[in-house]
Amino acid sequence: MLAAAVCCVAGLPAAAQQPAAAPEEAPYKIEDGRVDRATYNGYRRYGNSCERCHGQDGAGSSFAPNLLESLKHLTHEQFSEVVINGRQNVTTSQQNVMPPFGQVEDVVLYIEDIYGYLKARSDGALGRGRPQRMAN
């Protein structure tokens, strides 16, 4: 259901989609094609809570937007705000509703991991499909 929460992210006003002044440090770690524990956990959590609306690997669906494109324009804080509080974007041609996930433990407790996974996908650092984990 996180998927539904982030579905309205693409509909944020242009001013809200401006990148942060200072570049953010990558919230993921990838070495030799393998991801860290948090990024792998983000992949798992995304699959359980977001994929049904936002599609496989965050690439979007007919129901919700492509999160990989959305995260090219949103800050970490903007992403978290939409996921936690939800949002509604109603126009004459469409109605996009992202329910709030602030009370959904499987999402809110792992929002950093989910963000890291999606950001790795958005940055092009991680391809489609199940990532391989680094050895601990």
Side-chain angles (χ1 to χ4, degrees):
M1 300 210 102
L2 171 62
V6 185
C7 78
C8 293
V9 168
L12 284 176
Q17 293 185 14
Q18 297 301 317
E24 298 176 356
E25 182 178 330
Y28 53 85
K29 186 174 180 183
I30 301 174
E31 292 177 358
D32 299 323
R34 296 179 181 270
V35 300
D36 64 312
R37 182 201 56 78
T39 303
Y40 184 80
N41 188 50
Y43 160 79
R44 290 179 47 242
R45 301 293 174 168
Y46 174 85
N48 288 337
S49 300
C50 313
E51 186 175 292
R52 70 181 61 112
C53 294
H54 288 281
Q56 188 175 20
D57 303 312
S61 72
S62 61
F63 185 69
N66 179 331
L67 297 178
L68 309 183
E69 287 302 315
S70 294
L71 285 180
K72 290 179 182 179
H73 308 285
L74 293 174
T75 65
H76 179 271
E77 293 77 21
Q78 291 167 331
F79 171 84
S80 296
E81 170 72 19
V82 172
V83 172
I84 290 169
N85 297 315
R87 74 181 302 269
Q88 225 177 39
N89 183 24
V90 179
T91 65
T92 56
S93 64
Q94 65 183 16
Q95 179 175 346
N96 295 326
V97 177
M98 168 79 179
F101 284 81
Q103 300 297 316
V104 179
E105 288 183 4
D106 283 345
V107 173
V108 77
L109 292 177
Y110 302 102
I111 196 167
E112 300 300 320
D113 295 352
I114 295 167
Y115 178 77
Y117 163 69
L118 289 170
K119 190 65 175 159
R121 293 273 301 121
S122 177
D123 289 350
L126 184 61
R128 295 190 79 155
R130 183 183 192 130
Q132 297 295 310
R133 275 185 62 183
M134 292 178 192
N136 288 337

